[in-house]
Amino acid sequence: MQVGPGFEHSSEHDFAVTRLGTLYEYRYHGYTVSPQLHVDYHFGHGSSVVAGLALGFDF
């Protein structure tokens, strides 16, 4: 589970963001794959759902 504050900046607007999300890290022979799903709450604007996939390796 993840929770974190943030700030979003673009040419049109600046505003605070809170991200709530979840991920699970699968390990395979020193490598990792992490599917992720997050909801970004944009204060004063619409919220976003973000899906991602992180790839990594152990060291």
Side-chain angles (χ1 to χ4, degrees), residues 23-28 31-35 53-57:
L23 67 89
Y24 188 80
E25 186 174 84
Y26 297 97
R27 295 176 183 264
Y28 182 75
Y31 293 94
T32 62
V33 176
S34 302
L53 182 69
L55 304 174
F57 60 92

Side-chain angles (χ1 to χ4, degrees), residues 5 7-8 10-11 15 24 30 44 46 49-51 53-54:
F7 183 76
E8 189 166 317
S10 74
S11 60
F15 52 88
Y24 188 80
V49 175
V50 181
L53 182 69

Side-chain angles (χ1 to χ4, degrees), residues 5-59:
F7 183 76
E8 189 166 317
H9 169 75
S10 74
S11 60
E12 299 172 4
H13 53 263
D14 298 321
F15 52 88
V17 177
T18 297
R19 174 170 279 189
L20 302 174
T22 186
L23 67 89
Y24 188 80
E25 186 174 84
Y26 297 97
R27 295 176 183 264
Y28 182 75
H29 296 284
Y31 293 94
T32 62
V33 176
S34 302
Q36 305 178 23
L37 184 64
H38 304 281
V39 177
D40 290 350
Y41 293 99
H42 300 119
F43 297 99
H45 293 77
S47 298
S48 302
V49 175
V50 181
L53 182 69
L55 304 174
F57 60 92
D58 292 338
F59 60 93

